[in-house]
Amino acid sequence: MKVNRNQQGFTLLELLVVMVIIGLLAAYVAPKYFAQIGKSETKTAAAQIDALGKALDQYRLDVGHYPTTEEGLAALNAKPASEVKWDGPYLKKKVPLDPWGKPYVYRQPGEHGDYDLLSFGRDGQPGGTGEDADITNW
């Protein structure tokens, strides 16, 4: 058998250079990708708060007032015992959790309007910045 000396593979050094280049690209792209995921969760929470606000407004038009804090957002799906004019359900599905798996906070009367509707963000605590910032209806 003859061995053809013209056939050559990649050297170890060439493979290491390619691996370093791939690592540098991944280190540059990964943080930008994961930052976009956080932004989408924040946008999802804002969209859900807007949709819940519209359902609350429809509830108020039918009943004459917003649900109490005790009745909460559950009043959008299940008729409170004391409401005669309730014409719901006002949501097609049950009240969603925020994108971080926590319930939305609903207060009526609110400090910033007729009602306050908010998510405390990723950390679940009041205040914060970035993904940890509160998402509110005001």
Side-chain angles (χ1 to χ4, degrees):
M1 252 195 225
K2 284 187 172 181
V3 177
N4 187 354
R5 301 271 179 201
N6 291 334
Q7 291 183 347
Q8 295 181 0
F10 294 108
T11 66
L12 181 59
L13 183 60
E14 292 169 330
L15 291 173
L16 288 174
V17 168
V18 170
M19 295 295 285
V20 167
I21 291 171
I22 291 172
L24 289 171
L25 287 172
Y28 176 74
V29 170
K32 294 189 181 296
Y33 172 75
F34 289 113
Q36 292 300 321
I37 291 174
K39 286 180 185 177
S40 68
E41 289 174 333
T42 301
K43 288 180 182 177
T44 299
Q48 287 178 336
I49 285 174
D50 184 54
L52 290 170
K54 289 176 182 172
L56 286 164
D57 290 340
Q58 185 63 47
Y59 179 98
R60 184 184 60 84
L61 287 172
D62 288 347
V63 176
H65 59 86
Y66 289 107
T68 64
T69 301
E70 293 76 28
E71 291 170 339
L73 297 174
L76 297 173
N77 282 338
K79 180 180 179 182
S82 62
E83 297 302 338
V84 178
K85 297 180 183 178
W86 190 86
D87 192 28
Y90 298 95
L91 296 173
K92 291 181 181 179
K93 298 179 181 178
K94 67 178 188 165
V95 176
L97 297 175
D98 72 10
W100 301 277
K102 298 174 185 80
Y104 286 100
V105 176
Y106 172 75
R107 296 182 198 123
Q108 197 282 325
E111 297 174 12
H112 302 278
D114 292 329
Y115 63 89
D116 290 348
L117 183 59
L118 65 134
S119 167
F120 287 124
R122 181 181 62 183
D123 65 352
Q125 302 296 320
T129 59
E131 290 181 62
D132 296 337
D134 300 346
I135 300 103
T136 65
N137 69 320
W138 60 88

